[in-house]
Amino acid sequence: MDSYTELKEMIPDGSDPNLYPSMSGNNPAPIGFEGQDEAQRASNLYPSVADDTPAPIGFESQVRDELQENGADDSTIVNMGSSEEENEKATLFFRDGKRKIDFVLAYEPDEEDEDEEKKRYRRSTFEKNIVDDGLILEHEDKETSKNGKTYFTKVHVPWKTLTRYAELLNVNMPLAENDMHTEFADYFESCWNKIPSPFELDEDVLPEETDYFTAPFNRSRIDQFIIKDKDTFFTNAQRSKICYEILSRAHFTDDDEEDDRHNKKFGIRKLLDNQTYNAAYPLHDGRYHSEHSLLTVGKDNDRHLLYELWARPGAWFKYQPLDQIRNYFGEKIGIYFTWLGFYTTMLIPAATLGVIVFIYGLATILDDIPSSEICDNPTIGNYTMCPMCDKRCTYWRLSISCAYSRATYLFDNNATVFFSVFMALWATFFHEFWKRKQAEIDYEWDVADFEEGEETVRPEYEATVNRRRTNPVTRKEEPFVPLFSKCIRYFTSFSVLLLFLALVIAAVFSVILYRIVMSAFLYGSPDNFIKSRATFISSISAACINLVIIMVLNMLYQKIAYFLTELEQHRTLTEWEDAFTFKMFLFQFVNFYSSIFYIAFFKGKFVGRPGGFYRSLLDTRQEECDPSGCLIELCIQLGIVMVGKQIINNITEILIPKLMVWFRSRQSLKEKSDEKVYSRWEQDYNLASMPALGLFGEYLEMVIQFGFVTIFVAAFPLAPLFALLNNIIEIRVDAYKFATQWKRPLAERAQDIGIWYGILRGISAIAVISNAAIIAFTSEFIPKLVYKYGYSPDQTLSGYTNFSLSNFQVQYLEPESVPDKMNIEIFGNVTQCKYRGYFAEDPMNPGSYNYTMAFWHILAAKLAFVVIFENLVVFCTWLVMYLIPDMPYEVKLQMLRENFLAKEALFNAEAKQKTGLRQSDRAST
Amino acid sequence: MDSYTELKEMIPDGSDPNLYPSMSGNNPAPIGFEGQDEAQRASNLYPSVADDTPAPIGFESQVRDELQENGADDSTIVNMGSSEEENEKATLFFRDGKRKIDFVLAYEPDEEDEDEEKKRYRRSTFEKNIVDDGLILEHEDKETSKNGKTYFTKVHVPWKTLTRYAELLNVNMPLAENDMHTEFADYFESCWNKIPSPFELDEDVLPEETDYFTAPFNRSRIDQFIIKDKDTFFTNAQRSKICYEILSRAHFTDDDEEDDRHNKKFGIRKLLDNQTYNAAYPLHDGRYHSEHSLLTVGKDNDRHLLYELWARPGAWFKYQPLDQIRNYFGEKIGIYFTWLGFYTTMLIPAATLGVIVFIYGLATILDDIPSSEICDNPTIGNYTMCPMCDKRCTYWRLSISCAYSRATYLFDNNATVFFSVFMALWATFFHEFWKRKQAEIDYEWDVADFEEGEETVRPEYEATVNRRRTNPVTRKEEPFVPLFSKCIRYFTSFSVLLLFLALVIAAVFSVILYRIVMSAFLYGSPDNFIKSRATFISSISAACINLVIIMVLNMLYQKIAYFLTELEQHRTLTEWEDAFTFKMFLFQFVNFYSSIFYIAFFKGKFVGRPGGFYRSLLDTRQEECDPSGCLIELCIQLGIVMVGKQIINNITEILIPKLMVWFRSRQSLKEKSDEKVYSRWEQDYNLASMPALGLFGEYLEMVIQFGFVTIFVAAFPLAPLFALLNNIIEIRVDAYKFATQWKRPLAERAQDIGIWYGILRGISAIAVISNAAIIAFTSEFIPKLVYKYGYSPDQTLSGYTNFSLSNFQVQYLEPESVPDKMNIEIFGNVTQCKYRGYFAEDPMNPGSYNYTMAFWHILAAKLAFVVIFENLVVFCTWLVMYLIPDMPYEVKLQMLRENFLAKEALFNAEAKQKTGLRQSDRAST
């Protein structure tokens, strides 16, 4: 079969008018054709969709041109369709087996819908317009789909259109091979490669990536770019991005309605919003699982490659194939996974040290003198302690808090102080190394000079902003929000935000208040059953109320944040996302952390003393911590919130997508289940879409976790370990979702992790203050130190328990605090009880208690510690920032080399052109 | 007289062979000449210096070309030399009155010097080489000079050479007129201009400056640049910079000695070093004073303009003409004056508030209860105080310190705390606004994209570094210091630096020690005269020793810093300067501030108490402050050091250059004093050169002053005022030096103030800590607060004096502390004395004194203040940094517009060229 016959067979049979629209009267290109402008030529190729007649004779030669441009050669055409494997591959292409499907539009017309006529009109106008813009379409009837309801329109971007838009969008393409191999890197690499690493990806499987120096694509300098194969010059991600650009700019009403221009009847997003299309997506690269080995299939099917190397749970200990991820999903998602991987790697030393600190605590737990005193010393263990709450609480023996005080030592020993200094520095190293990593990635992925300014204006902005002005830069008309109006909008938004943040905090504290009041109230109940369970009932109900409030506020707040961000009228999507992110983060931060902050810094701190309790809040006593301190409570709360949140997250992230996919595919198979081919586009159609806020949720989760790891690390040294374990799972869960459970997302460019970087830095700053405060005020570190060196007779901690307790003459107890049950059989006739605090009775004035000297001594020491800790950490942070350059030396060299080469290339081009001009001058004379 | 005859007359008469060297056999340009490459053409113009024959006939037409290219028109030629004024102007040109003198080389051959022959050879080779490089020379014999000893070689850079080097050096030149006028700016400007401002410069006198968008100069796109006049297209600064580039690259040994290439026998700097030339400098623009009005002369004579508008002391209240300064002296000096002006302006609000704070202190001085108690309350005033030093000091009445305590209140009241918070924020605003100012200046002066990487390698680097490598960027051979060697060098340098810093600190403290020991020793002297003046003698001698040490170390250290910086082998001048600057700054900082730090934070803080003085230092008691605190001493010391330093500086800056100029001109006039024309180049030759370290000294002075203004402002609120007064003088003194007293410095490019910015930020960070510490620990603010709200019975300060003093039973005084003279006639039989401190006798254990509760209470309050102050200020700093964008909105818009225009221009150029190519294609077929 010669190529000509083959081509003839591939010509559409007329049932598919839009594939090569409007070839009517299109004669073979005239001889003068070559002289035309390139852009003109491209748009001339398929000038209109005027009628549906079969392609005229002149068409054949044109199709051949097109195929040859796409790099088709006869041998592949002959073999096409010969095996099952080829068949699967073929579904990524048009029916001719050559044109790649770059985008799919799907719709399920509902004939009973009264808008259906309108939608049909919109679709036909839209498709006519995108064909005018240089796209090629192919339709699939609903009969060919497995569920028998869905029509598919497949979109292909031909070479001409690709190059035109690549130039418009400043896409960076390879210009020259990277010839940089610094000595040091070579040396290091050769050493490194000798060690077989189980984490390394399999070199044989990974496609060989040549490193290129790149430059923005430019058709007039097309010869200078390295084009090995026109089919693969642009990656799939770039192709679908270009396709999307065209789709999002095409109008879907007739050109006649010129006056409607401001109504913005254009763009695929609007069509999806009004249900004209049900879905628009680029295709995945094929099946993600296969019986064939990676070595034979993987190189053609990136999705399979990604699954095997990356998304498969079994690959959990491997590095991520970042370049492949970026090629498949685009830079924005690529940077997310880079950051996640980087964060996980950085957690390894932190987790290791955290475990060591914990083990140190475990190993020395029996050497701790204060807790041993409570547990083993009968005199001290038998101390009669004052009641912990009004009325219903009674006296108790100190030995009861033995277990708590042992547990407290686990998290409150000298190693913890060292560890929290370490973690403050760790956070600095984290930021500095990430900057370097980002510089590297930015350079490798050619987003270093990606300017946000190139971004397009949000349609919502164009639609809602009525005032216009001349853009001072481009001198074109554009929508514009005046400064004054902007200020008012921002101010309003900010006020509402503050109000709602206050609401969240108020909710948290009202729950605390509820717990205190409720338990007092229930205890007053005549029913004995309720009375004896007052604390239990109030705690449980408070926890439930807390949960409900958090969840209600969560839902409410997402809406409010959305509304406020819309109110602020942001011009570009990036600005909008940053504003929204910041609001959501602030809320989540307050929502998650306020109860923890309460335990860390407020609970039991302003209680007063027996006989003089502070009763400012609704005339009730405040909550107290165990005599061994609040740290253990903080630790428990942290563990529950952090680990619990992670478990719930992972379950929902794995289960919900699975269920969604199962549900969708079941639904689509319900009606018809014959042996029709389940096409690639229909498989993808049945996948869930990536959520609207995309990576937002993933980042938010990680950033809240980063807060746990840094802000409260002084109280919970195991936090990095749990975070590490979670993230190892998280990477693969996310990878699995992206690679198998979701429609392929559109490849978007990004230079960095956006506003999250600033938020992370903010968290680190808070962490320094918070860790200083936890060690100083929540842990017993400083009082022990003061006792040891200032008060202890033998410079040890023996006697510390006694030192930290004060005596109280029971006779001075306030009437409302006197316990109902005296337990005289156990405690005898109590005349004085002990409590935590540094008070002494004024000898001149019985019943009047004042702070002892030790109290002020310890307070001064605590504050001195905060001053020293903060200044030391800030100084070290500065030093680290100063000493670590923001960009790795190698990347800097490569950038310099690239600039150098670009300059040389420019010189050469100019020299050549000058010679050309001179020669032509001569020729013309 | 037609222009042809005129030209003929201007042709050199053969006595001046180097003016148009080697026209031998140079026929008129052949017809094919236009087809040659531009660079080729430029170098063909004066191909060699082979012989001295008069210019051949073909030369005339070429000279005419040259003149016409320089924009000469007949009318100016005719009027030339007609008036005295014209004459003065003419001296800035070659004898033809047309070619500008861009550089002058001067030498005074000493025939008795045996090296003279060698020097002559070097000079002739050098001048031959620079002529080869495209420069034009004109010689002045020693007979024409006023002192009769000096030969001058005048250098002119012709248009061809200018354009060639402008392209090589990436000089930014005007491309299009700036068409940006944002609404806001217009509105603001129109409002502003309605207010007549005495500070504004006279609009009529200032030459009109059109704002241009610029692009790097490129000869192949020369049509796109706005060239109104080839003579003035490049500013004088640019011309002389280009000239210097050529001079610093030319070899001064014969080309035959190719193997000598590595000996680096090139560059004017080396020739100046080995006295082959005595001076090399660009010319000033003329006389700086003139009888003519600015409106007629000033526009042609920038020096006169600068003098009248800027350097004249009478202009002290005016804004600086920054654009003119930059045009005349280059960006580096321009940025210094911009910064100095900015700093001075920023000082105005600080000084105003400082004065208000001071006045507040003055106004309320009599309301201050503690000082009134000391002065007016007879009981308190009569308190017997413990002796302030061992033996020679005796008991004294508290009322003696009345004056001191009044004065202390002036600087130690509530307003001071507020003021030091204000100053911490002021420093932040200073940095943020400077960033904006710098962005503006950078944009306006086209140094925004100035890359330090473009800088050339230091000759010293090339000469001392022996190892070579292939540059990974350019692939050219270059000298190279391996990383390991670099590390060792840096480490060595750093260690030596630390050692010497320790030496400086040791010197300061040894002086303090000397004072303590000496006064004790002198007091032990049997001579009564010496004995009674022990304190006085020791103080005076200590001050002298201190001064000597500081001065010796200063000289020594500059050498050491130089040596260490050389050791580090920096590649470029910028790196070298930054390293040197940092070292010198560290040293000066320690040298100036350590005695002040001692008073602020150590003096009197660790004294102990009567009966228990700390005697760790050489078994002597430490110095004490007055009972009203150390703040007043700190204040006096600060005032003396700061104001004294400023006065000395200003005197030396004004007097020394004046003397130098007077001396030089006297010397040069000594021998001959006939009525020869005192030429422009000789006048400039007699001026002093700008010192080698250039602006370094000026910046250092200002930065040390910035330290006084910020670090110790809590102790001395008048510091900003003194700084402001000093700087108003400083600007004009510096301006006067640059404009009238020094040779015109070479215009150098710079983008920012370099490492000084980082140093200023560091000072601000230290200032936050230091102010917090001064208020907390040196002032009486916190103790007063604690007394007022914690101990005072009536919430006022009455009783504070009593509260702050402790009692001591004299019987427990250590034997070595007992005063020699008891003054029983005045004090009676002293049984107990009072001293500053919070001690109480242990009732159980007489003679044992412990800190009271109040001590710990106050200490805790002090530390809490430090914590709150630091965190508050850091938070506000962050907020300010976050809220103020780094670049003014207008500048950003202009940059975007410039980029936009540049892109469009590129597009247009390409489109044009494509059309051209197509047309030529057609023509050739």
Side-chain angles (χ1 to χ4, degrees), chain A residues 17 40 178 188 193 211 258 380 501 523 614 673 757 762 887-888:
Chain A
Q40 184 68 18
N178 188 336
F188 189 73
N193 284 346
D211 228 2
E258 264 302 328
I380 293 175
L501 283 184
Y523 193 73
Y614 295 123
S673 57
Y757 181 74
M887 193 180 277

Side-chain angles (χ1 to χ4, degrees), chain A residues 473 860 863 870-871 897 918, chain B residues 35 179 473 860 863 870-871 897:
Chain A
V473 174
L863 288 162
E870 276 191 17
N871 285 308
R897 175 78 184 155
R918 203 154 40 236
Chain B
D179 57 351
V473 174
L863 288 162
E870 277 193 16
N871 285 307
R897 174 82 184 153

Side-chain angles (χ1 to χ4, degrees), chain A residues 511 514-515 533-547:
Chain A
V511 169
Y514 166 84
R515 195 162 56 228
R533 283 162 187 82
T535 314
F536 183 74
I537 294 173
S538 60
S539 293
I540 294 290
S541 60
C544 292
I545 291 171
N546 202 359
L547 192 71

Side-chain angles (χ1 to χ4, degrees), chain B residues 194-226:
Chain B
K194 276 177 198 150
I195 313 163
S197 159
F199 312 118
E200 209 67 61
L201 292 167
D202 192 349
E203 288 277 339
D204 303 331
V205 176
L206 271 183
E208 244 173 80
E209 290 256 329
T210 327
D211 227 4
Y212 291 108
F213 290 131
T214 61
F217 186 74
N218 188 317
R219 280 174 298 166
S220 65
R221 284 183 180 145
I222 201 162
D223 301 339
Q224 285 170 285
F225 291 93
I226 299 175

